[in-house]
Every structure is written in structure tokens, then in C-alpha cells.
Amino acid sequence: MVKKSLFDAWAHLLNLSKLKKGETVAILVGDITHPEHLAAVKSVLTMQGHVYYVMELGEAPSMGLAGDSTAAYAPTALASNPVAIDALTKSSFIVDLMGMYRGGEQKQILDAGSRILLVKEGPEIFIRMIPQQEDKARVIEAVELIKKSQVMQVTSEAGTDLVASFGKYDYLAQYGFSDEPGHWDHSPSAFAAAWPTEESVQGRVVLNAGDVILPFKYYLQTPINLDIKDGYITSITGGFDAKYLREYMASFNDPEAYAVSHLGWGLHDRAHWTGLGMYDKRQTNGMESRSFAGCFMFSTGPNIEGGGTRETECHLDIPMLDCTVKMDDVLVVEKGQLVKR
Amino acid sequence: MVKKSLFDAWAHLLNLSKLKKGETVAILVGDITHPEHLAAVKSVLTMQGHVYYVMELGEAPSMGLAGDSTAAYAPTALASNPVAIDALTKSSFIVDLMGMYRGGEQKQILDAGSRILLVKEGPEIFIRMIPQQEDKARVIEAVELIKKSQVMQVTSEAGTDLVASFGKYDYLAQYGFSDEPGHWDHSPSAFAAAWPTEESVQGRVVLNAGDVILPFKYYLQTPINLDIKDGYITSITGGFDAKYLREYMASFNDPEAYAVSHLGWGLHDRAHWTGLGMYDKRQTNGMESRSFAGCFMFSTGPNIEGGGTRETECHLDIPMLDCTVKMDDVLVVEKGQLVKR
Amino acid sequence: MVKKSLFDAWAHLLNLSKLKKGETVAILVGDITHPEHLAAVKSVLTMQGHVYYVMELGEAPSMGLAGDSTAAYAPTALASNPVAIDALTKSSFIVDLMGMYRGGEQKQILDAGSRILLVKEGPEIFIRMIPQQEDKARVIEAVELIKKSQVMQVTSEAGTDLVASFGKYDYLAQYGFSDEPGHWDHSPSAFAAAWPTEESVQGRVVLNAGDVILPFKYYLQTPINLDIKDGYITSITGGFDAKYLREYMASFNDPEAYAVSHLGWGLHDRAHWTGLGMYDKRQTNGMESRSFAGCFMFSTGPNIEGGGTRETECHLDIPMLDCTVKMDDVLVVEKGQLVKR
Amino acid sequence: MVKKSLFDAWAHLLNLSKLKKGETVAILVGDITHPEHLAAVKSVLTMQGHVYYVMELGEAPSMGLAGDSTAAYAPTALASNPVAIDALTKSSFIVDLMGMYRGGEQKQILDAGSRILLVKEGPEIFIRMIPQQEDKARVIEAVELIKKSQVMQVTSEAGTDLVASFGKYDYLAQYGFSDEPGHWDHSPSAFAAAWPTEESVQGRVVLNAGDVILPFKYYLQTPINLDIKDGYITSITGGFDAKYLREYMASFNDPEAYAVSHLGWGLHDRAHWTGLGMYDKRQTNGMESRSFAGCFMFSTGPNIEGGGTRETECHLDIPMLDCTVKMDDVLVVEKGQLVKR
Amino acid sequence: MVKKSLFDAWAHLLNLSKLKKGETVAILVGDITHPEHLAAVKSVLTMQGHVYYVMELGEAPSMGLAGDSTAAYAPTALASNPVAIDALTKSSFIVDLMGMYRGGEQKQILDAGSRILLVKEGPEIFIRMIPQQEDKARVIEAVELIKKSQVMQVTSEAGTDLVASFGKYDYLAQYGFSDEPGHWDHSPSAFAAAWPTEESVQGRVVLNAGDVILPFKYYLQTPINLDIKDGYITSITGGFDAKYLREYMASFNDPEAYAVSHLGWGLHDRAHWTGLGMYDKRQTNGMESRSFAGCFMFSTGPNIEGGGTRETECHLDIPMLDCTVKMDDVLVVEKGQLVKR
Amino acid sequence: MVKKSLFDAWAHLLNLSKLKKGETVAILVGDITHPEHLAAVKSVLTMQGHVYYVMELGEAPSMGLAGDSTAAYAPTALASNPVAIDALTKSSFIVDLMGMYRGGEQKQILDAGSRILLVKEGPEIFIRMIPQQEDKARVIEAVELIKKSQVMQVTSEAGTDLVASFGKYDYLAQYGFSDEPGHWDHSPSAFAAAWPTEESVQGRVVLNAGDVILPFKYYLQTPINLDIKDGYITSITGGFDAKYLREYMASFNDPEAYAVSHLGWGLHDRAHWTGLGMYDKRQTNGMESRSFAGCFMFSTGPNIEGGGTRETECHLDIPMLDCTVKMDDVLVVEKGQLVKR
């Protein structure tokens, strides 16, 4: 039996996504699909009379790490299935409970006008963070600011001092629902980001106790110093946490693992930094950490999704506390707090 | 865990169906899908490296009777799902574990060249009756005979005396695998049939103790006399069994229910007339009854699948014992025994 | 996931039962509870904001026969659980998916004003036969006729000739929903009946091929002659079917097994006599057989539920075809057809 | 959770079987194992502190028919597993929930002194027919009578007239528990039988309406005449039922299928002839039919289990009503009723 | 199948709770119910012949956090279900596997004399820590000491220096079973505590590495300084752990979150401080941490359960190592070790 | 359905283990058996035509801790089951998915020539670390080196300075498959170790941040100083981590808990030190930590498995980073890196 709270959350989400009669919905399922999400979304679609199909593909060519689809950034069985890709391009709305590879055929499907909504987080956090219409305005406003700024500057008392410029690649407006043709979103979340021009990223990022590296899903206990030069991390120093990060990245044996990926900040005002600490790793995908208002999200690895050419399996999202973010002269986050305007 | 016997049966079946690397396989699933079949076919496809997808649709607009998809001949949710139909037309091979409506979009999918293989029977009978290459030759030979004959005449000691002519509508070569573009088949089975020219069907059919009416799935205990005029059953007389049949057909409130549908005979030499008696209704779909060598299969209801215009939810398949079937002057079944040649 | 068709059926049923906000619903579950019914009714109650509780009791003191709660008419664990009984008397509406003993504490619960709705039939038949408001009018009209008549006379071409009088005991208006305080009903069904004055029942009942004895759940193939004297069956003669019935009743070793219980007729115009033949025994509780319009339902065993003192585990419901039922001079069923008025 | 009624039944059964501390119990499981039996027997053994192991073997070389292990009499995977056979020979007590092949390694295991108790019937009938100590006395007395008699003569009003002699092969004392080294039993049941000297079986067996052929699991509706000569059935005549039996036996293509196997009579006074009629085929193994007091059980096929050389997959148990059985001059069953002494 | 070790633990627990024949047991179940506990307690009750019912309520109005019912202290669906409340007040013994809201209707149920036993911990720890009769004596003796003392003083080398007085509110004797009318207990556990007079709590609590904050379920790595004034925490300072605690409490937006709740010490001599470190969060409810002998348990939030008026969803239990606890002049815990007397 | 990647891994593993037709395989299952491993190994054995049996024993006399069979080193139900032990000694190959007690009957089984392969790790890590033929060579070479050396010396910058001598007890060549009669292995893993002569172990072990204590399954954050004298740990000092270790070991109340067990180093070049950090405790058994190339594995507790007499439930495996290991004058690991030769 589908819980009312989950049914209502999905009904709200599909309504925000402007799902209309006559549209065909695809529900893509796979190993990581939460059965309660699948039952709930089918239930809402059925009760509301929408046309849908559930699609499951074969075994992925490579294996995920720790059951976390964010840990390895690699193609799925969809890549080699032209009939399935074609069906998805013809579907108005795709509920992605499988986790498409963002660097591959997803672009073709979005270009065809399909709306995609990815959901990997479990029901509890999903319900608690369910998107609201106003989240979009906040995210779009932030993305617009990135678009019109020349330089992003990030500083922190811990020692972070980073600059980056945008414009060469895409912008990432993630507000938790997908209401426009060709829009991809990941629910629940709310943050604004963009892929910087590679060489523009310079400086230093100092991670501090309490910062989170995803998919590691724990709070750092000790600082990590990252030197950034020409868009690449050139050194990782510090104590145990630094050693762990260094060894993890080295295990991919891939120079592109050290590239800087998208940069941005969290805008979700019902998400809590403390949320992650209440769950085991297997229970969460980390969307609350990625989204809490005022985090600066530094990330590493591929920029192929943003239109670049860097492709690597190693992708880290690193939401940071207590940073100050300026877009040109506009202060957007001050010591970890969103600047209200 | 998939049983070896079932794995081997599916591997054999897909091999007979000439499944090749590079083809995309669709597995259509629904309420009646046997989970062991689904696991087995996925397992074979995965082990052999084929590309496939599993597709499940929403709730059907009308409800089946007694969990038997053969009892009601009505559209499924596929009819209103153009994206799903389109995907199926692009799939080389379709394992239909859902049971498409044979009077609807199935034709469009076949016309596109997809091979369809329907499986509704449970694993035990499926394995026991698994098709062999030589079944096809026997079936094709029989269908060729129907095609070149002017008149089918069926008689029996019980009183059956029926004539029918073919040519206006399609022929049904059912041999249990689907090895040619646009071929639909239903596994396991082996029989030859055709939809007669409506008005050509004249005479009398006398069902006898031991004959089976599907989807009733029991052996008649008493004779039933059916008068046939201009392609329609005009009277149903006899004892309890006749009364049951009469009331059942009347419950559809549909004159087309009384039409004669396809006529033909069984050619499967590993199927047994006695098989049905070993199972509960829910355990079998009746494919063994439809297929045993030497049965004459009389059927009623729609001919839309064969190219006609008669459409009705009431469809009966009635495999009969001890009949003699002649195509023009060629004796094909004599007193319930296939004539060897 | 609850199917829409089942969700809608339960929503309709609870609406017919005039379930209102502020009422507390008890859902009583046990061994025979169909999980889809439980999920559906919980789902409807939750979505509509009703207050409910699910209650499960311990193991019953005696064991059912063939998993059919109608086969043995015996107390459950409820009888010895005063707290549970008390809670049920305080519940406005009881969805009985367990099957209370009708001869026991059920009366106390009904007397307290609780509405009880028993559901034992599986989802498919339940949906197909879902009650309608007009069923009640038809049933109530028939019960009123019984109440004001002196004598019921039942005859048939097969030889039935039975008379009975009512008035000493209760009447049974069963229309498939429970919309009045203290009303017990069993869904899906529609029939009118009453417990006759014991000694008034005299004559002969001749069961014929096609009649059904519940809980046997098969169509008789041969006639059975029942002599009835002073409210008791005094002889059972005929062929195999008679022998089976005779031995079955004898196995209870109880003279009260031979008593005549309630008498009445079916009024459900979407139920089919042929329905039973499509299912295995385990798949159905026989409500379609009990209810089809125009059946005469003869039954045997206890009348304690109707206010009498006869108590026995052996209770048979025997819906008969082709009878003519007259209440005084009013013809209500003629040769198995309801007389329209 | 194991039901108390089932727990108690197993505890009683193991107690009757004189299971003692220090004995090792083997529980053999397979496709037909009822999960409630497995849980119950493990629960009893654990609660009572017995040492046991559960053993499951690989896929059997041949497939059962209709999920009924009595339908095909063929080796299992045990035959090719010497380590498993050896472990069983060393186990004091074997709860066989898999169904060993009685013609094979079972003898070796029994010869080693292991007690074997086979259980294939479902929990409901198992509980209802649970053995009692006095069943053994009754069965042993009957077997002793067979041992000391020269000729068995069976007659019936329907026309049965059969003679047979014993002494060459084994006797079958089946009382539902296994309390002696090397004793095999099948619970629940109570009957006495023996494998006749092949050529001694002469005459005629006339099956009548109400008789049961296992594994067919239905009541015959029409008589079947079996001529028996020199221990073989030489003709099978009659109506539909005869035709069904004839075709079924013919489908094995094996002359030994027509041999007469063990002969005996039922001695279980809590079993009912009517029991079978309350269940679907899948729900029962037919032990109630085989055991009801006063049935004459005619059976066909192999005598290898009894020490003979006839081996065939086709084995039928045919409990008959209304027969009169005499051992020399001692009347043991008269018109289907056990003669009390 | 219920494990013997778990069956025995429950049997022991119900025996300690003086469950007697004739008493009615309610088993309250919900989302957090461990299925093995439910099966075990039903099994014990059934085997011992007790009368019971299982009751499940609808969806709770608010959602738990991280699947831990201790994380949010809020009403359940019971609050709005008067029939269910009434049934519980009439039940002699309640096995609460759902987790009633301790601030609500639980008082009414206890006042009616029902014994309540809450179990949220999983089977493994439950079995390892199963209560013993002597636990009660130890706990009662400690509670008596609290009752007769004027002042509790708690100190530690880490800097804790706290005073508190009792008498205005209730005392909490938690020994793991419920053997007296109106007694509530939570199994497994053993500790003594009381809700202090609000304003009497003054001083400083310094949490240290190794201390545990529940429901966080991890060992602190760094000290946290808590200033306490007039019964409220007025500042939380320190490193990462302090920041996490500060942000977590702030997320409730509720001044009462900072109130001091019950104070006491652990008395369970089979519980280990190290236990928590062996489990994932989802695997444990933290009862071992709350109970190990010699811990000082500081807690925050509501005192409504103790008879006060402070009500807040934020409730923390904080078992601390190495404290010294004095009740007036009596040393009860010295540097984390229970003082033996 | 068994995943192809897991099926292939098991097929590879059994092939490395030289499983041959005619050998009998035992699959030992228990509480910790991963259902996917069981299905996969049965599937491979069935597809390849091997003879096997699955054996499950009763409840173990003592309970595991935290669901981790490595946490407590204690006998299972096998110890008291001579029939099961005997069957295992007769089985050529044993897939141990239950976890036999290594100090008990396992020796008898190995001495009989059975090959044992223990698998406790979940499928994901199992697949990722699946053994290769070359792992054996590397492990054997390392074990040979231990055998011919007089002294092992281990040092680290953190302060470790330990010496030990071998020769009195067994050597442990663990390479992840079992290809020789009497060989026990644990898959996936690759390391070489030996049980030192008790009194020869002298010096100091300093654990450092990043080292792992199994079964704790977390990275140490602070150093722990262990003084070792005459083969026993005589003091454990440091911060929180030291306190935790000290209390944990003390909870066993057993002087032998402090003994030094086997010493050795990891040789698996596809295992990562960082792997452990990606999983929850319940998800992994820690085989990746035990095996990564260049770790020095210090372990404590029993040496009975190696032929000694120390027996204790407390067994810790402690893979350490950054150590330098010398066997006499041969440098085998230098600052945590395997010395290539």
C-alpha cells in the first residue's frame, strides 16, 4: 500500500512538472529504484488517468560502487539500446528511477523535448524536501546571476580562495521538478551551478570539519587543502581525511579525475546540513547535503554533461560550510548564509 | 534462481526464433506474466549478450475473467499508448508475457516486421511441449493444404457434419516460435487453422464427452449439439454442458459471439489430450488441449485478427476428439488421428 | 500498489455504506483475508482521512475446511476476547475480512449499532459484482414481501415441491453494503431470505444438474432428491452426487446438520450462474452463485443467526436453477427467472 | 510464525516416531516442500533441542507432472549424489519433504536402519488426519492377516471380482509415523497393503462413480471395466472416464504401466471419502482418499519398491468404494465398511 | 520460523511481567515494528494460551526522522482514535511495537491500570540484554535514593559541574519489564532517572569524546561545552560535534528544545558502552548506550511525560562516560563506575 | 534472477578451484548467507552439471555480534552434528556460506582432503575482488619467504617496532580459491600470514589514523599504542580509539583475548584501502581492508586454528597502513608499499 504522504508528494511533484493528459510518461527502473517510489508514481499516474509505461533495461556494463549510483559516473545498458532511447525521446515526461548516464544519450533525449526527473533519494527525505514552486524562482534568479557575472570568487576563514569564470559551458538550474521541454532535474534539490571555463579556475579550496564529500557521505573531521591550478587540483594535503580523498581519487588512475567540475550554491530552505548525520550511507543519496541553503558546492571530474570534453568515472560533489561567494560584486553567500535580497 | 530446464527451454526457443546479435528484444509484462518465465528469458538474453528491455503498461481498461487472458478478448492499456506501440514496432523480437489484444495494434507491430512470441502457459507445460524445428514443417505443410483446398469437411460419429471454405481471410500457422519477420506465434503450440469465409460455414457440430471448451478448461461430460448456419451458431442443445455453454455465451449479450472463428487441427505430437485433466484451471492456459495431434479445433467469435470485421469479447477455442477432417479429397485427420503421409 | 479498479470499488462500497468523517472503522483480519482487499480498504480510508484500526486475533479454536470459511460454521478467537468484542461494539463500521462467527458475539456487536460488512470473495468477482444503490431497493422489496406472506411455495419441473412459513425468526436482507446501524451485510451479494418456522418446512427438494452446493463449489451432474419433513431432511437419494452429499453431511455426526436453514432467492442482475465454472475452488467463495437473479436458495443447518436455537457446524447454501417461487399468491420467480413488476 | 495447531501436530508425530535426544534428524527438502511444514518441523526440533540438518539437492533429472510428485515415479537428484545418500544412511530419522524415489536408494537408507517419514500433504489435511498410536495396531493387525492368508478376493456389486496371492514380495504397513529402525512411512495415512505375486492377480476390477484415481484427483462419474490377466490389465472399457484412463496410461508407452502393483485397504477412521471433493488438485496429495477406512486400494505399475523387478514411471493408486474384501475366509471389508472385530 | 533464542527471551520477559491467564494482551504494531519481534511475541502468547489481539493504526500525522522513532517526539495516529485508546485501556498488558507518543494518551491508558512494555530495539541486542528480576531491585533502589535526596550533583574531569533537584515531577524506574498495573517500561534497559524541577538545573555539562547523543548514534570525537541556566541550555560551544548539535537543535525552531529533561544513570550490567560502535544506525535504537552501568544520562527537551508542561519534538538522550554522580552525600557513580554497596 | 556478473564471478572462482565432474559439492548455509551468492553458486553448479547439496544446520549455541560472523569466534551448530561433519568430510568441495568455526571440526574436514571456500563478503566487493590465478603465486611466494625466515620485523614512522618468529605453528596462504585437497580459503582475499611462536612476539605496535580494526569497520582517527610482551598486549593507550579498543577487549573477560594471533601482509592489487569507507558496516565483512597490497595485518586472539592452544572468542584483524615489514633481511613491504621483485 502506498503511503498517503508519499502519494501526495508525487502528486504534487507531477503537478509542479505540469504533467498533462495526453502526455506519455516513461518510468525508467533499475537496480537502485526504490520500490515505494515506483509504486507511488504508478499509483498517482493510474489514479489520475495518465498514460505511462515502465521500462527496465539489462545489466549495466560496469558495476556501481557501494550501491551508490553517484559514486561511478558511467554508461548504463541504455547506451546500447537504440529502441529504448528512441522510446524515451518520444515520451513527454520521464521519471528516471534508474539513473541515466548524464554524459551520454541523455542529451539526445532532452534535445527531443522530453522532460526528465531523476529521483534517487529515499522516500523519507524526498517527502521532507518535496519541491515548491517558489524554489524555481530562487534557483532561476541565481542562475541568471551566474550568467551575467564575469567572475565567481569564493573565500572562507578556513583559507579557501578560489576564482572561476563561466560562459563557455552550460548552467545547471536544479529546482526539483521538470516543467519545461528539455529540462532535466533531480528531485529533491535546489541549487544553482555552472561548469566553469576550464582554465579559469584558480586558487585554493580548504575543506573543513563538517564539510561533506559525496559519495563518501560522512562529515570531514580534519581540514583538507586543495591547490587548484588551471582548472585542476594539483595537490591534496592534510591529515586522515586528505589521505583518504587522495587515495580514493588516485584509485581511478585518471588525470581527469582532478579536474574541477560544476561550481554553485545551495538554495533549499527546508534542507538541513545536519540531515546527513542521521542516516546510514545506504539510506541516502546525499541530496539534502547538496542542497541546503548557503552551502557552496565544489565538485570535481567530468564536464561532458555541461558541454565539455572531460569524461571520467570519478565525480565528487563537495558541499562546503561557511564559505563566502561573490559573483562579481554581488555577495550571494556570506559565511555560509544565503544573502537575502 | 532460474531452473536449468526452463533456461534451456527458453534458450532453445530463442534459437529456433533465430534471435541474432544486434536485434533488440522487447519483453512485455503484465498481470498474467509468470515470474519464472520473466526471470528465465532475461537470464538467457543476458547470458547470451542480447540487448533487451522489459516494458510494463498501466491497468487495462477492462478486467479479465478468472485470471485467464483467453476468456475475454479485449484491448489492453497498449491501445492508448502510442509511444509503447512505436517502441514495439522498432523491436526485432517481442516476448509477449502480457497478452496483447490480437484484434488491435498487434497488426501494426507485425506489419513493421517485428516477430512476436506470446507465452501464457506455465513453465511445466511450456518445458514439456517446447517447440522443435520439425513442428514448423508440419504446420506449414498443413496450412499450405488449407490454402489450396476449396472445402473443409468435418464429420464425426457423434454427428458432426460441417463444411467451410477459406481464402477470404488469413491463415494461422502456429508452430510455437517466431522465426520470420512479421510472424506471430504462441508457445507452446502446433496447429494449423484459418478464418473461413463467413457464410461458407454450414452444418452441425456435435461436441462429445471429453471435448474441451476453452476457457472453461474441463472435459465435457455430455454431448452438445450446435447448429451452424451461414457462419453462425443458431442453436445450442443438450444437457447440463449445453446449458452452461448457452448461458455463458448469452452473458456477453453480443450476436457476434455466435460467429464461427478459425477452424483447424492440432499437430503437436508431444501434447496429450489427457494433460488438461491433471491441472487446476489457474495452472494452465490450455495450450496442450489446443495442440494435441489430431484434434479438430472449432472456435467461435471474432475474425478481426484474421482480417475480418467481426469483433466480440467472447472467443472460444474448442478442441474436439475423434473427428474426421478432409480438405477437398485429402484426408488429414481420421477419427481423431492425424493421417500420416 | 492498489489497483485503481479495486480502489474505486471499495470507495464506492464505503460511500454506499454512508461512511462519514468522525466514524471509527475497524478492519478485522485473519487467515482468509485477501491482501489486496486489506491494502485497498486501508488505502481508501487513508486517502479519505477516515480513522481506522486493523485488528488481528489469535488462532481460531477449530480449523476451517479447505480454506473456505463457509464450510465450517464455528466460533473464532473473537469469542474469548472481550476487549476485542468491546472495541468492535464501539466501532461505527466494521470491515470484516476475517469472518466472524455469525452465531455468536456478532449479535452483540450489531445490537450496539455497529455496521458490519463481510468480504470473503476475491477482488475479481468483488469488482465485477460491486453493489449498486438500486440493489437495496430490490432486496428490501423482496424481504417485505416475505414478511407479509403466509406461505412460501417452491416448485420445479425436476420435482421440487416445498412449502415453508416465516415469522418466528429473522429476515435476511443482503444487498452488499451496510448503510444502517446494526445492519450486517456480505459483499458482493444481493438476495432476500428468511429463517422459516422450523416445523413449517415440508415437502421435497429435487436438486438438478447445474445446481450448486456450497461449499462444494461444483455443478451437480445428477439429480438429488431430498425429502423434507417438519423442517428436517429425512432422506437424500440419487446417484453419485446424492451419495457425496449424504456422506458429507453424515461426517458431521450431528442431527441438526439436516435442519432447513434460511430460504430465499437471488436478486443480483450482474451475477452469472456460469461464473462459478470459471474458477478453481480456492479462487472463490461462491457469492456469485448465491446471488444470481432468479436462483432459489435452499440452505441447511443452523438457525441461531436468525434467532433460533439450532446450532451446527454443517451449513450448506444451495442455489437452485429453474425453480418457481410463490409467496402466497405472488409469483416472484418463475422457472428460474425473476418476475419483473 | 508457525501455527500452534501445526506445531502440536508435528510434535505429536515426532513423539509417536520415538525421536530421542542424541539422534540426528535429516530434513530433506525440494520443490514440493510445503514451507509451513518445514518451518514447523524445524521449530519443534529446535524447541526440543534435537540435532538436525536440512538438505536440499539439485534439479531432478526428470520433471514432475502437474506439480504432483505421485504422478511420475522417477529418480531424483539423490540417485547421483553418493555423499547425500551416505549422510542419510547415517541419520537416525529422515523427514522427507522432497519425495525420494521409492524404487532407488531409499532401500539402502532404510537397510541402514534410518527411519523415514514422508510428508507431501498440506498442513490442513495433515493436522486433521494426524496419526494416533492406535492406528499402528490396526494396520499391523491387517498386515499380519495378509501375511498369513493364501488368497485375497475382492468383489463388488458393480462387478469387481479379483483374486490375488502374496508372499513373494513385501508388505506395506503404512500408519503415518516411523517408530522402528528401517521403517518407511507416509503421513498422514493408515492402510495395509502388499505387492502380489505377479501372475496370481486375475479377474476383473470395475471402477464406479465416486471412485478416485490418483493422481487424477477427481471422482469418476462413469464406470470403468478393467480386465486383469496374469497380473496385467488387458483392457480398459467404458465411457469418458475409461477413455481418459486408457489414453493416460498409453501416453507412457510402457507395457509395465499395466501391471498390478500393491493391493490393500484403508484403515484411517478420521479420513473421509468426501474430503477430496473440497480441494483443488494443487491443494492435496490425496492421502485422505488413499486412507479412508474401508476403501479397497487397487494400484498399478511398479513393484520394485516391494522387491520386484517391474519399474515404470506410471503409478496409479485407485481407492474404491463399496468393495468386499476377503483374506481367505476372513471378511475384512464388507461393501466398503471395515468389518469390526 | 521464530528463533528459539528470541522465543525464550520473550517468554522470559512476559513471565517477568507476570502475565497471567485471563489477561488480555494488546500488541500495537506500526512502521517500526520488527517482524521477528511480532512473530515471536505472537508465538509465545499462542503457545501459552493467552488471549491477545494485534492492532495497527493508520498513518501518523507527522513523519519520523531517519526511521528512528526516538528522533521525533510527536503524536501518532492513536491520538485521534478513541476506540483504539479505549481498547488499550481495557487491555491488561500492552506490547508496544509501534511506539506510542509518551506525552499523550499513554497516561490515560496507564492510569487505567494497563501495563505497557515498549520494544524498539532489534532482536540481537534485545536477546543479549534481556531483563532479569534483579535489575528491578537495582533500579528501584536507585529511584528511591533520588526520591529521598535534595540535590543531584554531577561532575567530571572534563569539566561537567551540574546540580539539579527533584520532587516536582515524576521518577522513571526503567528496568525492562512491566509487572505492576500502570507501569510503563521499555525493554531492554535498566536505568533510574527523574524529571528535575525546571529552574533547579544549573551549571555546566561537558560532553567528551566517547559520549553518545541519541538519536545521533555516534561517539563524539571532540568535547562539547553546554552551559545550563535555570533548566535551559544557554550555549553550545566546541568544534565540529558542538556545531552539529547546535545546528540540529536549532533546526527545530523551538525554545523548549533547549530545556533539560530527565536526569539519571545506567544500571544494566550486561550492556556495554562499546556496543553502539558495532552497529549501523538503522540497526539499533541505542538502548545499550542508554543503559550501561555507570553512564550518567543527561537528556533534553520535553518533561510532559513526567508531569510537566514542556512539550517539544526535540528530545535527546545523552549517555556520558566518566562522570561522578552524587545524590546529596551519597556517591552513586564514581568516574563512570557504579558504586557498589 | 542471478546477475551475469555474479554468475561469471562464481564460474571463474570454481574454475580456479579446479572443480571437476564427479566431485560432490556441499553448500553450507546459515544466517549470514547472502541469498544472491546462494542462487549464483547453485546456478553455476546446475548449469555445469555438478553434483551438489545445500546443507543448513540448526540454531548456533551462541549468538553473533552485530550480524558479523567475524566478531565472535565461536562454535556453530555443526560441532554437535556428527552426521553433518561426516558428510562434509566426504564432500570434495565445500562452499561455506555459513561460516564454520575455524577452531573446531574444520580441521577434521580439511584433513579428510575436502577443499573449503568461505565467502562472507557481499556480491559487489566479491565481484570487484574476484581472485585471479596469479594471486596464488604471489601469496605462495610470500608464505615461502615467511617459512624460511628467522625473524619478522615490523616498523613504522608512527612508532611501531615489532619482532616475531615463526615455525612452531601453521602458515596461512590465503589467495581466494581452494584448488588443493585440504586447502581452506576465504574469498575474496589475498594475503600471507602465519601464527608466530607465542613468546617470540615482542615490542610495540602503534596504530595510526586510517588503520582499521575488524570487526569495528571504521578508520581510526587517533593513534593507539600497544605494548607487546611475550606474545601478549600488555597495555593499550591513547585517546578515544584506544579507550574503545580497551573496553571492547575487556568486555570478553578473557586473558587470551590479548594474545597476538597471526601476522602477515596483504597482496591483493585490486583491493583498495579506501573501499571500507564507502560502505555501511552491515554491507561488508572487511575482506578488502584485510587484503589490500602492502597492508601489514596485525591480529589478536586465538591461535588454535594455527595449531596452538589459545582459544578465545575475541579475535581482531587489524590491517595497518604505512608499515615496513622485513623478513630477516628481505624487505617485503616498505612504508606500506609492496616491494616488487
Side-chain angles (χ1 to χ4, degrees), chain F residues 223-242:
Chain F
I224 304 177
N225 187 88
L226 305 172
D227 288 322
I228 317 280
K229 197 164 148 57
D230 299 344
Y232 283 95
I233 297 170
T234 56
S235 80
I236 304 172
T237 54
F240 161 73
D241 290 302

Side-chain angles (χ1 to χ4, degrees), chain B residues 51-67:
Chain B
V51 170
Y52 72 88
Y53 62 93
V54 178
M55 181 179 270
E56 181 197 76
L57 304 174
E59 208 166 327
S62 66
M63 200 170 56
L65 186 61

Side-chain angles (χ1 to χ4, degrees), chain B residues 28-104:
Chain B
L28 204 52
V29 300
D31 283 359
I32 63 161
T33 300
H34 198 295
E36 291 182 28
H37 279 320
L38 178 57
V41 71
K42 283 168 62 178
S43 208
V44 171
L45 292 172
T46 301
M47 292 292 175
Q48 298 186 345
H50 290 289
V51 170
Y52 72 88
Y53 62 93
V54 178
M55 181 179 270
E56 181 197 76
L57 304 174
E59 208 166 327
S62 66
M63 200 170 56
L65 186 61
D68 187 311
S69 64
T70 60
Y73 203 82
T76 67
L78 184 58
S80 57
N81 197 323
V83 176
I85 294 171
D86 185 70
L88 295 172
T89 61
K90 297 202 166 98
S91 302
S92 313
F93 192 79
I94 299 168
V95 178
D96 182 2
L97 302 178
M98 171 192 87
M100 275 190 233
Y101 177 47
R102 307 237 280 271

Side-chain angles (χ1 to χ4, degrees), chain B residues 31 59 63-67 71 215-216 218 221-222 240-241 243-244 247-248 251 280-283, chain C residues 3-6 124 127-128 209-210 219-221 272-280 283 321-322:
Chain B
D31 283 359
E59 208 166 327
M63 200 170 56
L65 186 61
F216 299 170
Y218 68 85
Q221 297 283 343
T222 54
F240 161 72
D241 290 302
K243 177 170 191 155
Y244 187 80
E247 293 283 324
Y248 178 82
S251 72
D280 289 323
K281 291 176 198 290
R282 244 314 161 59
Q283 287 179 275
Chain C
K3 290 214 157 191
K4 185 174 187 303
S5 47
L6 189 58
E124 183 188 313
I127 293 171
R128 192 150 46 73
Y219 296 106
L220 298 180
Q221 298 282 342
H272 296 288
W273 163 67
T274 54
L276 186 77
M278 304 300 290
Y279 300 91
D280 290 323
Q283 287 180 275
L321 290 168
D322 300 331

Side-chain angles (χ1 to χ4, degrees), chain C residues 38-65:
Chain C
L38 178 57
V41 71
K42 283 169 62 178
S43 208
V44 171
L45 292 172
T46 301
M47 292 293 176
Q48 298 187 347
H50 289 290
V51 170
Y52 72 89
Y53 62 93
V54 178
M55 181 179 269
E56 182 196 75
L57 304 173
E59 207 165 328
S62 66
M63 200 171 55
L65 186 62

Side-chain angles (χ1 to χ4, degrees), chain E residues 303-314:
Chain E
N303 69 354
I304 185 168
E305 184 191 359
T309 57
R310 289 174 178 164
E311 201 166 1
T312 168
E313 288 212 359
C314 182

Side-chain angles (χ1 to χ4, degrees), chain B residues 231-248:
Chain B
Y232 283 95
I233 296 171
T234 55
S235 80
I236 304 172
T237 53
F240 161 72
D241 290 302
K243 177 170 191 155
Y244 187 80
L245 176 59
R246 201 163 54 228
E247 293 283 324
Y248 178 82

Side-chain angles (χ1 to χ4, degrees), chain D residues 217-236:
Chain D
K217 298 180 189 164
Y218 67 85
Y219 297 105
L220 298 181
Q221 298 283 343
T222 55
I224 305 177
N225 188 89
L226 304 172
D227 289 322
I228 316 281
K229 200 166 144 59
D230 300 344
Y232 283 96
I233 296 170
T234 55
S235 79
I236 303 171

